[in-house]
């Protein structure tokens, strides 16, 4: 796999570390809420784990040290797009 | 037909034209007592033990492709029960005991070979961790021996003992561990289940579940609807996809792991060796091929193939441990899908849907557990209560915090 890093250009996947699904958003624990435990459980453990398109975090440790959001097909490893995670709207 | 020396002689004299197919390739019926989704090793073993232990023979095993084509044919055939945590050891040791009697039990040559599994250590800290693991095993009645440098050298003189970076200090040896011919495990369980009346249905993909008032009543398949009182899911690698059809999200990610076989060589490695400093393990098949592997690729995948960085990493591990391996040529490599659970341990439990049972989350260690997994899953299905050896492997343990974190990695499936 080659990941098209927006900063460094297309680079071998071995330069990157994987975090996983970019969809889970950490619930705001500062706001006391009755179902905060359920929300944290969901955030930490549960995954959609799709067979198909997945938006996921990769860290370019051997390159620009940027966090990327990569859209990839888990059935074929085909990479559709990559963008800097910073450019994503914050949760 | 029961296999024996007599049956072999009779068929040899008849020119081997009298052998029959080993199990019935059944057509699906409209209704069963129990439907097992997934005809891999675990599904077939579950059907076998349902019939043999609990007398439940009105069972169908639905396999989307063919028997032996999934993970039961993609692993590296190693069996062991060298686990640390109380939630895990009883199941894997039950499995080990079943391996030891398996061939007589199902009258099939699975080539169970207890050639020993050796985990090497390369530092004082690692030695202490293995001593602790060995003690935990022995407390649970599992065999374990802590070998020092000389003990390992007597077994495997060709290893790279004096590597400057990772010298081999010793190893934890489980002599009862070893290898089993994985295809024969699938065939043996399929034959044993089929002989007892279980329908093994190939090319039959489950496409949905029929659920009424919180109770499962059957499945939809690519070959029509099938009614069932109980439905059991054993599709590790694709558990999230199948569970999603029943409205569940699982604490699982699907990953890919690669394995490798070299050309056939004369016997050099008598047992199974794992490298403690990198992630590399190796054994030699009875045909002579060196069978080895290492880490998972580390990203979500349903592709059943991996990428080259892991090939390089595995080969580097091999060269660091056993430089002689550099003379061997790799014959083939392949990938298999893994249910990477969030704590690295499996799930064998009921689900929120009544009559629907889940066997999932085996990470890269499902093969060794095949008999035990089938045995306790059959108990769960038959009795609607967990087997005493599998009471910790609950689906809700992630919610309640009772993780079985054998590797101490936390909720990071790509690290387990």
């Amino acid at each position: 796999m080659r990941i098209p890093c927006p900063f460094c250009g297309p680079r071998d996947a071995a330069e990157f570390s994987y975090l996983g699904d970019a969809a889970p958003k950490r619930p705001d624990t500062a706001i006391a809420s009755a179902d905060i435990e359920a929300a944290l459980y969901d955030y930490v453990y549960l995954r959609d784990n799709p067979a198909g398109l997945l938006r996921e975090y990769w860290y370019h440790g051997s390159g620009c040290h940027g966090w990327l959001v990569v859209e990839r097909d888990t059935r074929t490893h085909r990479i559709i797009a990559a963008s800097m995670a910073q450019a994503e709207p914050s949760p | 037909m029961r296999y024996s020396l007599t049956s072999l002689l009779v068929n040899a004299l008849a020119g081997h034209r009298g052998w029959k197919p080993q199990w019935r390739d059944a057509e699906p019926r409209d209704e069963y007592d129990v439907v097992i989704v997934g005809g891999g090793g675990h599904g077939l073993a579950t059907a076998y033990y349902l019939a043999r232990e609990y007398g439940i023979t009105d069972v169908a095993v639905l396999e989307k492709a063919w028997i032996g084509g999934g993970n039961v044919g993609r692993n590296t055939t190693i069996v062991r029960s060298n686990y640390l945590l109380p939630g895990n050891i009883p199941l894997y040791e039950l499995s080990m005991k079943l391996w030891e009697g398996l061939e007589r039990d199902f009258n099939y040559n699975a080539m169970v070979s207890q050639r020993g599994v050796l985990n090497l250590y390369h530092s004082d800290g690692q030695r202490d961790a293995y001593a602790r693991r060995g003690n935990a095993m022995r407390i649970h009645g599992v065999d374990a021996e802590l070998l020092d440098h000389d003990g390992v050298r007597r077994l495997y003189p060709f290893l790279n003992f004096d590597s400057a970076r990772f010298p081999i200090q010793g190893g934890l040896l489980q002599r009862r561990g070893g290898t089993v011919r994985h295809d024969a495990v699938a065939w043996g369980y399929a034959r044993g289940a089929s002989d007892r009346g279980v329908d093994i249905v190939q090319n039959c993909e489950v496409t949905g579940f029929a659920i009424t008032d919180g109770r499962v009543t059957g499945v939809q398949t690519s070959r029509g609807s099938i009614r069932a009182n109980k439905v059991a899911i054993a599709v590790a690698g694709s558990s999230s996809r199948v569970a999603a059809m029943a409205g569940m999200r699982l604490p699982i990610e699907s990953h890919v792991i690669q394995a490798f076989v070299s050309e056939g060589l004369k016997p050099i490695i008598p047992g199974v060796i794992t490298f403690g400093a990198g992630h590399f393990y190796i054994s030699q098949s009875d045909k002579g091929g060196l069978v080895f592997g290492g880490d998972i690729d580390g990203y979500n995948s349903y592709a059943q193939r991996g990428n080259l960085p892991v090939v390089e990493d595995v080969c580097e591990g091999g060269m660091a441990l056993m430089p002689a391996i550099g003379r061997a040529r790799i014959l083939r490599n392949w990938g298999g899908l893994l249910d990477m659970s969030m704590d690295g341990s499996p799930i064998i439990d009921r689900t929120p849907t009544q009559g629907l049972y889940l066997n999932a989350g085996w990470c890269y260690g499902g093969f060794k557990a095949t008999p035990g997994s089938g045995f306790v899953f059959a108990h769960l299905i038959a009795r609607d209560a967990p087997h005493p050896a599998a009471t910790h492997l609950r689906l809700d343990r992630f919610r309640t915090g009772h993780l079985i974190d054998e590797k101490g990695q936390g909720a990071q499936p790509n690290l387990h």
Side-chain angles (χ1 to χ4, degrees), chain A residues 3 14 37 46 55-56 63 69 80-81 89 91:
Chain A
I3 296 175
E37 279 192 21
L46 298 187
R55 283 164 48 80
E56 55 195 11
V69 174
I80 290 95

Side-chain angles (χ1 to χ4, degrees), chain B residues 304-333:
Chain B
Q304 287 192 319
R305 59 184 159 74
N307 273 297
L308 290 172
V310 166
V311 177
E312 186 179 18
D313 184 63
V314 169
C315 292
E316 282 172 355
M319 288 300 290
L321 174 68
M322 181 184 165
I325 199 177
R327 302 289 295 276
R329 281 169 293 193
I330 292 176
L331 199 63
R332 60 182 187 273
N333 72 318

Side-chain angles (χ1 to χ4, degrees), chain B residues 4-285:
Chain B
S4 64
L5 189 58
T6 316
S7 74
L8 181 63
L9 285 172
V10 167
N11 277 285
L13 291 172
H16 291 298
R17 283 187 291 271
W19 298 110
K20 298 278 187 295
Q22 298 176 359
W23 74 85
R24 287 176 300 115
D25 186 18
E27 292 294 315
R29 296 202 315 265
D30 291 341
E31 184 164 8
Y32 291 92
D33 186 11
V34 178
V35 162
I36 297 170
V37 184
H42 290 225
L44 293 167
T46 303
Y48 175 78
Y49 291 115
L50 267 177
R52 206 204 65 176
E53 292 293 309
Y54 302 98
I56 299 172
T57 56
D58 186 16
V59 176
V61 178
L62 308 183
E63 167 56 43
K64 74 173 174 184
W66 71 94
I67 296 301
N71 288 335
V72 73
R74 290 172 180 268
N75 56 75
T76 46
T77 79
I78 295 165
V79 301
R80 56 185 175 86
S81 56
N82 51 358
Y83 279 74
L84 175 69
L85 299 180
N88 272 332
I89 296 185
L91 174 69
Y92 289 103
E93 179 56 13
L94 169 69
S95 206
M96 197 69 232
K97 290 205 171 87
L98 289 168
W99 284 123
E100 288 174 324
L102 184 65
E103 293 164 305
R104 205 172 300 173
D105 185 64
F106 68 12
N107 179 233
Y108 203 85
N109 182 9
M111 296 164 71
V112 176
S113 168
Q114 293 182 286
R115 52 183 71 183
V117 173
L118 177 68
N119 301 134
L120 297 173
Y121 60 80
H122 309 264
S123 67
D124 293 353
Q126 211 171 14
R127 178 200 57 214
D128 293 350
Y130 277 150
R132 176 174 175 235
R133 178 177 294 267
N135 286 335
M137 290 162 66
R138 291 171 78 139
I139 286 169
H140 282 85
V142 185
D143 69 306
E145 280 172 60
L146 196 66
L147 302 183
D148 61 8
H149 173 278
D150 292 344
V152 174
R153 198 182 271 273
R154 270 194 294 276
L155 277 178
Y156 298 111
F158 52 81
L159 296 181
N160 185 12
F161 283 88
D162 303 318
S163 148
R165 182 66 184 87
F166 299 115
I168 295 170
Q169 291 192 7
L172 183 67
L173 176 64
Q174 186 186 17
R175 289 192 192 272
R176 286 164 63 238
T179 59
V180 180
R181 169 114 198 259
H182 52 196
D183 306 306
V185 173
W187 300 332
Y189 275 127
R191 171 171 169 266
S194 181
D195 282 354
R196 286 167 173 82
V198 172
D199 277 359
I200 294 167
V201 186
Q202 302 181 92
N203 302 308
C204 181
E205 182 171 359
V206 169
T207 54
F209 294 91
I211 297 170
T212 316
D213 299 330
R215 188 175 175 85
V216 72
T217 57
V219 293
Q220 287 105 36
T221 78
S222 55
R223 296 173 69 176
S225 294
I226 299 173
R227 291 190 300 279
N229 292 323
K230 295 177 176 177
V231 177
I233 301 172
V235 296
S238 300
S239 295
S240 297
R241 295 175 67 190
V242 174
M245 294 185 234
M248 284 189 283
R249 285 175 83 216
L250 298 181
I252 284 173
E253 288 181 2
S254 294
H255 285 248
V256 59
I257 193 167
Q258 303 188 60
F260 307 82
V261 170
S262 79
E263 59 193 331
L265 303 169
K266 288 182 179 176
I268 171 170
I269 305 177
V272 180
I273 311 169
T274 75
F275 185 31
H279 195 155
F280 176 81
Y281 63 94
I282 188 165
S283 65
Q284 189 169 18
S285 79

Side-chain angles (χ1 to χ4, degrees), chain A residues 1 12-14 18-21 38 41-42 44-52 54 56 58 72 74-77, chain B residues 240-241 249-255 298-303 305-307 309 342 395 398-399 403 411-412 414:
Chain A
M1 289 194 299
D12 192 282
Y18 186 72
L19 181 65
D21 194 339
Y41 161 67
D42 195 285
V44 174
Y45 294 112
L46 298 187
R47 297 290 180 268
D48 289 335
N49 193 18
L54 177 66
E56 55 195 11
W58 291 79
R72 188 176 59 95
T74 59
R75 293 166 301 186
T76 60
H77 299 164
Chain B
S240 297
R241 295 175 67 190
R249 285 175 83 216
L250 298 181
I252 284 173
E253 288 181 2
S254 294
H255 285 248
Y299 44 81
N300 288 32
S301 174
Y302 285 92
R305 59 184 159 74
N307 273 297
M342 289 285 172
L395 177 58
F398 302 92
R399 187 190 292 278
L403 299 188
Q412 280 286 352
N414 51 318

Side-chain angles (χ1 to χ4, degrees), chain B residues 311-366:
Chain B
V311 177
E312 186 179 18
D313 184 63
V314 169
C315 292
E316 282 172 355
M319 288 300 290
L321 174 68
M322 181 184 165
I325 199 177
R327 302 289 295 276
R329 281 169 293 193
I330 292 176
L331 199 63
R332 60 182 187 273
N333 72 318
W334 64 94
L337 298 191
L338 314 168
D339 270 7
M340 296 305 292
S341 68
M342 289 285 172
D343 63 356
S345 294
I347 297 160
I348 305 176
D349 202 359
R350 291 161 288 204
T351 68
T353 305
Q354 265 199 341
L356 183 66
Y357 303 88
L358 179 69
N359 180 327
W362 287 98
C363 298
Y364 38 75

